[in-house]
């Protein structure tokens, strides 16, 4: 996924706009006799034999699982618990080793739930897959709004409110953006905690509450939703720039120089708007552009030191192949 507008505010119950991108992960599932689950992860940092887990240990949460399989095990746990399953299982995950900080963990989680749905004929709806996957992500991260899970499940471009209270698919056929990667992946949860600490510090020391920032982001997200539906790219660009300005207020760590430099380069090259995407600190930025300015804009972002990520927004969600 690529967050368009509303990051950080979405954690506090405000809406956001997010688009699915066409970086895809695959999960293959097969039933096995016996009492073990075998997980083969081709996206792990190191080659290894399939990870072996006793079904009972998984269901009773008796052990800590390695990083490369923990989202898969959390997804299996949620499906098995909900549907009272205890079968042996073989799972294989595959996909790119670099996801540019765009939500690979949620994508693998959603794909695992969908694969188990197909294997065991559970007849899960998209909403069911979302709820099970979101619960699995919360098991691992402890917090999160779930917009990345929703993007992986439903695909397209979404207007979303925390925990899936609102999931609205926006019927559009294009989203004219260029995406740049800073080269540094930053943990989402750690940055959310950093913003929380900064908010408490300002409130305690200066009596200054950042609530107005989240209120302002909510208003611009609601306006941006209309702009996207109307293909009003000029006004959307202005809202993108305002959103970036509001994110700078939250904490200096949200938009450091590694993001500011390509954002400013994009604006100087004629972008209609440019901002970071996601929690910040690193990862990706994007710029809204016209077709005529796209190549020049891409070159400017590359000259600034960021890598152009050639992926398409508004991509389809999880599918069975």
């Amino acid at each position: 996924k690529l967050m368009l507008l509303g990051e950080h505010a979405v954690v506090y119950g405000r809406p956001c706009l997010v688009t699915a991108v066409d970086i895809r992960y695959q999960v293959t599932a097969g039933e096995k006799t016996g009492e073990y689950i075998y997980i083969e992860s081709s996206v792990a940092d190191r080659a290894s034999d399939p990870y072996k887990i006793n079904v009972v240990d998984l269901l009773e949460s008796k052990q800590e699982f390695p990083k490369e399989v923990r989202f898969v095990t959390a997804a299996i746990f949620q499906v098995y618990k909900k549907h009272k399953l205890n079968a042996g299982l073989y799972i294989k995950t595959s996909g790119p080793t670099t996801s540019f900080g765009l939500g690979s963990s949620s994508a693998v989680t959603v794909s695992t739930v969908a694969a188990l749905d197909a294997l065991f004929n559970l007849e899960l709806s998209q909403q069911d897959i979302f709820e099970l996957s979101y619960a699995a992500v919360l098991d691992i991260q402890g917090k999160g709004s779930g917009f990345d899970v929703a993007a992986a499940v439903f695909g397209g471009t979404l207007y979303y409110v925390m925990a899936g209270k609102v999931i609205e698919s926006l019927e559009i056929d294009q989203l004219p953006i260029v995406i740049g990667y800073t080269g540094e992946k930053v943990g989402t949860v750690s940055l959310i905690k950093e913003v929380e600490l900064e908010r408490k510090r300002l409130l305690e020391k200066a009596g200054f509450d950042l609530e107005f920032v989240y209120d302002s982001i909510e208003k611009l997200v609601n306006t941006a939703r209309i702009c996207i539906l109307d293909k009003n790219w000029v006004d959307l660009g202005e809202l993108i720039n305002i959103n970036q300005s509001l994110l700078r207020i939250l904490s200096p760590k949200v938009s450091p120089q590694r993001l500011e430099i390509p954002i400013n380069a994009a604006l100087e090259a004629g972008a209609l708007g440019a901002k970071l995407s996601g929690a910040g600190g690193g990862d990706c930025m994007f710029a809204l552009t016209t077709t005529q300015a796209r190549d020049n804009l891409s070159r400017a972002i590359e000259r600034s030191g960021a890598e152009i990520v050639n992926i398409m927004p508004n991509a389809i969600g999880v599918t069975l192949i």
Side-chain angles (χ1 to χ4, degrees):
K1 54 84 186 103
L2 184 83
M3 172 64 84
L4 297 172
L5 299 101
E7 50 267 274
H8 287 289
V10 71
V11 178
Y12 296 96
R14 272 60 169 199
C16 73
L17 290 163
V18 60
T19 189
V21 297
D22 64 347
I23 298 176
R24 304 197 73 81
Y25 287 81
Q26 293 182 0
V27 174
T28 303
E31 194 170 356
K32 288 184 72 71
T33 57
E35 57 188 9
Y36 288 96
I37 294 170
Y38 300 85
I39 303 173
E40 181 180 348
S41 176
S42 61
V43 298
D45 293 332
R46 56 180 175 80
S48 61
D49 294 329
Y51 189 78
K52 182 179 177 181
I53 311 162
N54 185 287
V55 175
V56 173
D57 288 344
L58 173 69
L59 293 176
E60 295 183 2
S61 303
K62 287 184 176 179
Q63 62 188 100
E64 190 84 13
F65 301 112
K67 178 181 179 181
E68 57 262 32
V69 300
R70 61 184 179 178
F71 284 93
V72 175
T73 56
I76 297 170
F77 172 79
Q78 288 296 331
V79 174
Y80 272 39
K81 181 180 69 172
K82 175 75 173 179
H83 294 276
K84 298 180 173 56
L85 301 172
N86 60 5
L89 189 66
Y90 174 79
I91 290 274
K92 180 179 179 180
T93 67
S94 60
T97 54
T98 301
S99 69
F100 308 101
L102 295 177
S104 59
S105 296
S106 292
V108 170
T109 303
V110 167
S111 294
T112 301
V113 172
L116 295 177
D117 172 35
L119 178 64
F120 294 114
N121 297 311
L122 302 177
E123 298 184 350
L124 300 179
S125 65
Q126 285 184 309
Q127 185 65 31
D128 294 332
I129 293 173
F130 167 79
E131 290 174 1
L132 288 165
S133 301
Y134 181 46
V137 169
L138 291 181
D139 282 346
I140 302 300
Q141 296 182 341
K143 61 175 61 182
S145 62
F147 67 83
D148 45 358
V149 176
V153 174
F154 295 93
T157 300
L158 304 175
Y159 176 88
Y160 178 88
V161 178
M162 185 168 182
K165 292 177 183 176
V166 178
I167 306 175
E168 178 192 353
S169 295
L170 304 186
E171 297 300 322
I172 60 172
D173 57 5
Q174 62 174 307
L175 198 56
I177 60 175
V178 174
I179 302 168
Y181 177 55
T182 64
E184 185 162 346
K185 196 174 185 306
V186 180
T188 299
V189 175
S190 62
L191 262 170
I192 290 174
K193 290 179 179 177
E194 174 64 32
V195 170
E196 288 177 352
L197 289 172
E198 181 68 7
R199 183 179 184 180
K200 290 178 181 177
R201 186 187 71 79
L202 287 173
L203 189 59
E204 291 171 0
K205 291 195 173 182
F208 182 75
D209 194 354
L210 292 175
E211 192 74 10
F212 83 95
V213 175
Y214 303 125
D215 289 342
S216 298
I217 290 175
E218 178 175 13
K219 291 177 182 177
L220 70 84
V221 165
N222 287 330
T223 304
R225 171 186 167 276
I226 298 170
C227 289
I228 289 174
L229 290 171
D230 292 344
K231 298 181 182 178
N232 183 349
W233 307 129
V234 173
D235 286 354
L236 179 63
E238 291 185 7
L239 294 171
I240 286 170
N241 291 335
I242 295 169
N243 196 167
Q244 174 64 21
S245 296
L246 290 168
L247 290 171
R248 293 185 182 112
I249 298 172
L250 296 178
S251 168
K253 293 184 179 180
V254 169
S255 192
Q257 284 302 298
R258 70 177 69 97
L259 280 164
E260 290 289 341
I261 290 172
I263 287 170
N264 290 330
L267 293 172
E268 289 172 5
L272 298 173
K275 65 179 285 291
L276 63 84
S277 177
D283 293 334
C284 287
M285 53 74 63
F286 73 93
L288 186 70
T289 183
T290 61
T291 302
Q292 296 86 345
R294 187 179 187 91
D295 290 344
N296 184 50
L297 183 62
S298 297
R299 287 192 292 269
I301 292 173
E302 285 183 321
R303 286 195 298 268
S304 77
E307 174 188 354
I308 294 298
V309 183
N310 292 311
I311 52 179
M312 295 297 296
N314 206 40
I316 61 171
V318 67
T319 57
L320 186 65
I321 59 174

